[in-house]
C-alpha cells in the first residue's frame, strides 16, 4: 500500500517516451523492486481499458505501450497516457491478484550440467544450492525472449552467478536455470547462456489454450524438487545433452 504522498510521486515520476510511430515506453524506475512491479501492474490494468491500445508489454522497470495510429498521433497518445496515470488510485498498488505456480524440478546431473559449477562458484554444496533455489518464492517480473519465458526474481544473493561466457546453441525444453539475480524455465528449445540446474517435465506453453503461457507477469512461482523416478514417470527425459 502507498500513502498519498507516495501516490502523487508515483504518478509524476513515470517518464513517457515515444520509441516509434506506434509505441511509447513508460519508464517507472531504474531499480528493480516489488513496489515498481506493483505500479507497472496497476498501470497495465488501467491501460487495458483505454480504447486504441493494441498491446502492453511489461518488463522489470518499464511498460511498452503499442497503440493504434488511427486513434492517436504522437501528441494525443502522450496526453492520453498522462490522463490515465493521473486518474489511477496509487494507494491500491500491491493489492494485486496473482496465482501461485508450482513447478516440479529434477535437480540431477543428467539434466543440470551446471549444478556443480554453480555450487563451486557460490562456495556451497549441491544440496544447499538446490535447497536455496527451491525454497524461494519468485515473482514473474516479465515475459519475453520466447513465448512463455518468464523472468523470475530475485534469487537469493548467495546464488547470484554470471551467465556462461559461451552460450549453448541449444538449451533443452524445460531446463531450469539461473543467471545473476534471475531464474527461469526454458519453455522451448533455444540458444541460452544461463546456468542450468535441472529440468521440469511439465509444459510451460499450451498452444491450444487462450492463456498460452502457464506463468503470467505478476505471478508467484515456486520450484519443488522431485526425484529422478518422479521426473521420468511424469514424462521427463534426459535428451539434449
Amino acid at each position: 500500500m502507498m500513502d498519498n504522498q507516495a501516490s502523487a510521486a508515483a504518478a509524476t515520476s513515470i517518464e513517457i517516451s515515444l520509441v516509434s510511430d506506434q509505441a511509447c515506453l513508460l519508464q517507472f524506475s531504474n531499480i528493480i523492486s516489488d513496489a515498481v512491479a506493483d505500479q507497472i501492474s496497476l498501470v497495465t490494468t488501467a491501460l487495458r481499458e483505454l480504447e486504441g491500445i493494441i498491446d502492453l508489454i511489461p518488463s522489470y522497470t518499464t511498460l511498452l505501450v503499442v497503440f493504434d495510429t488511427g486513434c492517436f498521433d504522437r501528441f494525443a497518445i502522450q496526453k492520453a497516457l498522462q490522463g490515465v496515470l493521473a486518474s489511477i488510485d496509487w494507494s491500491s498498488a500491491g493489492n494485486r491478484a496473482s496465482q501461485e505456480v508450482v513447478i516440479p524440478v529434477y535437480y540431477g546431473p543428467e539434466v543440470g550440467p551446471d549444478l556443480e559449477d554453480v555450487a563451486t562458484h557460490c562456495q556451497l554444496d549441491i544440496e544447499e544450492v538446490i535447497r536455496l533455489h527451491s525454497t524461494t518464492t519468485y515473482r514473474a517480473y516479465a515475459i519475453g525472449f520466447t513465448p512463455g519465458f518468464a523472468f523470475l526474481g530475485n534469487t537469493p544473493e548467495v546464488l547470484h552467478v554470471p551467465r556462461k561466457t559461451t552460450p549453448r546453441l541449444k538449451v533443452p525444453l524445460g531446463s531450469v536455470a539461473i543467471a545473476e539475480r534471475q531464474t527461469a524455465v526454458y519453455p522451448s528449445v533455444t540458444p541460452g547462456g544461463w546456468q542450468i540446474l535441472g529440468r521440469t517435465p511439465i509444459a510451460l506453453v499450451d498452444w491450444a489454450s487462450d492463456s498460452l503461457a502457464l506463468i503470467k507477469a505478476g505471478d508467484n512461482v515456486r520450484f519443488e524438487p522431485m526425484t529422478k523416478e518422479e521426473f521420468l514417470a511424469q514424462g521427463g527425459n534426459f535428451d539434449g545433452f
Side-chain angles (χ1 to χ4, degrees):
M1 298 287 289
M2 302 172 65
D3 58 30
N4 291 335
Q5 185 175 2
S7 300
T12 58
S13 64
I14 300 170
E15 298 178 3
I16 303 173
S17 304
L18 193 71
V19 294
S20 76
D21 60 357
Q22 59 179 14
C24 282
L25 186 71
L26 276 61
Q27 178 78 44
F28 289 74
S29 176
N30 292 318
I31 300 172
I32 298 171
S33 70
D34 279 354
V36 171
D38 286 338
Q39 292 177 28
I40 294 173
S41 177
L42 201 60
V43 174
T44 300
T45 299
L47 287 178
R48 288 198 183 105
E49 305 302 317
L50 184 62
E51 186 176 354
I53 299 300
I54 296 174
D55 199 8
L56 296 163
I57 306 171
S59 187
Y60 284 101
T61 58
T62 63
L63 175 63
L64 185 68
V65 181
V66 182
F67 58 90
D68 184 348
T69 54
C71 296
F72 301 104
D73 62 19
R74 60 183 299 176
F75 303 106
I77 186 60
Q78 295 195 54
K79 183 176 180 181
L81 292 176
Q82 289 167 347
V84 170
L85 294 178
S87 70
I88 289 175
D89 176 12
W90 294 95
S91 65
S92 63
N95 295 340
R96 60 190 174 94
S98 62
Q99 66 173 345
E100 182 180 67
V101 180
V102 180
I103 298 176
V105 181
Y106 171 51
Y107 297 91
E110 304 93 337
V111 291
D114 301 317
L115 190 53
E116 186 172 348
D117 287 344
V118 168
T120 299
H121 177 88
C122 298
Q123 298 182 327
L124 301 169
D125 57 39
I126 288 176
E127 289 72 21
E128 184 66 2
V129 170
I130 295 170
R131 188 192 69 79
L132 288 168
H133 184 260
S134 62
T135 56
T136 300
T137 297
Y138 303 95
R139 178 168 180 161
Y141 282 106
I143 309 296
F145 174 53
T146 61
F149 189 102
F151 292 87
L152 310 174
N154 290 325
T155 53
E157 187 173 353
V158 70
L159 291 185
H160 291 185
V161 294
R163 288 173 168 82
K164 298 185 74 64
T165 54
T166 303
R168 291 182 172 90
L169 296 178
K170 290 184 178 181
V171 175
L173 173 72
S175 292
V176 177
I178 59 175
E180 298 166 354
R181 63 173 64 188
Q182 304 168 103
T183 187
V185 183
Y186 283 80
S188 56
V189 178
T190 62
W194 292 28
Q195 310 283 353
I196 301 174
L197 304 183
R199 190 180 299 179
T200 181
I202 67 173
L204 273 290
V205 176
D206 181 356
W207 296 103
S209 72
D210 293 334
S211 58
L212 184 65
L214 176 65
I215 303 171
K216 302 174 184 63
D219 284 349
N220 294 320
V221 179
R222 290 192 299 108
F223 296 100
E224 191 170 85
M226 64 193 314
T227 66
K228 180 192 295 188
E229 292 72 25
E230 290 170 333
F231 174 72
L232 294 173
Q234 293 186 33
N237 63 72
F238 300 148
D239 298 343
F241 294 117

